[in-house]
Amino acid sequence: MSEQAVETPALDRYECRACGYVYEPEKGDDKHDIPSGTLFTDLPVNWRCPVCSAKKTAFTNIGPAGTASGFKENLGFGLGVNKLTPGQKNILIFGALALAFLFFISLYGLQ
């Protein structure tokens, strides 16, 4: 007997267009006693944004956490940088700044 793969729904995050609050299913909503792991589609109809009290219809899907930001058709451009996640982009930017600072400081060692 073969095991069938169990399909798990993507834990997409939803952002409030009014205030910018992001509902993350991994965290849930402590203010309204929503347990972690609750999908946005499973929230009650009368659920509102914990920050600005906007209705559920004011939220837009921004995808799962840790994915590349932007439109999918643009991910192939930008020398591969568009495929980086926001965390990877931060490491690239601040790492380059730290390296440039070290090079600058190393110039004082030249005499």
Side-chain angles (χ1 to χ4, degrees), residues 6-48:
V6 177
E7 185 176 318
T8 57
L11 295 176
D12 287 351
R13 299 173 306 147
Y14 284 78
E15 181 179 25
C16 179
R17 292 179 298 198
C19 69
Y21 168 79
V22 176
Y23 174 77
E24 297 185 31
E26 297 89 10
K27 295 179 181 176
D29 179 13
D30 292 336
K31 186 175 180 184
H32 295 109
D33 294 327
I34 304 294
S36 62
T38 305
L39 299 176
F40 186 78
T41 54
D42 296 338
L43 290 174
V45 177
N46 61 349
W47 181 84
R48 294 196 174 246

Side-chain angles (χ1 to χ4, degrees), residues 16-97:
C16 179
R17 292 179 298 198
C19 69
Y21 168 79
V22 176
Y23 174 77
E24 297 185 31
E26 297 89 10
K27 295 179 181 176
D29 179 13
D30 292 336
K31 186 175 180 184
H32 295 109
D33 294 327
I34 304 294
S36 62
T38 305
L39 299 176
F40 186 78
T41 54
D42 296 338
L43 290 174
V45 177
N46 61 349
W47 181 84
R48 294 196 174 246
C49 176
V51 176
C52 69
S53 299
K55 292 183 179 181
K56 237 176 116 172
T57 55
F59 283 75
T60 183
N61 187 344
I62 58 173
T67 58
S69 56
F71 297 109
K72 293 193 186 314
E73 58 269 9
N74 292 338
L75 295 180
F77 299 105
L79 302 173
V81 178
N82 286 347
K83 292 183 182 177
L84 298 176
T85 63
Q88 291 170 330
K89 287 179 184 176
N90 284 340
I91 290 172
L92 181 67
I93 292 167
F94 292 113
L97 286 172

Side-chain angles (χ1 to χ4, degrees), residues 105-111:
I105 292 298
S106 71
L107 292 175
Y108 285 109
L110 298 176
Q111 294 201 10

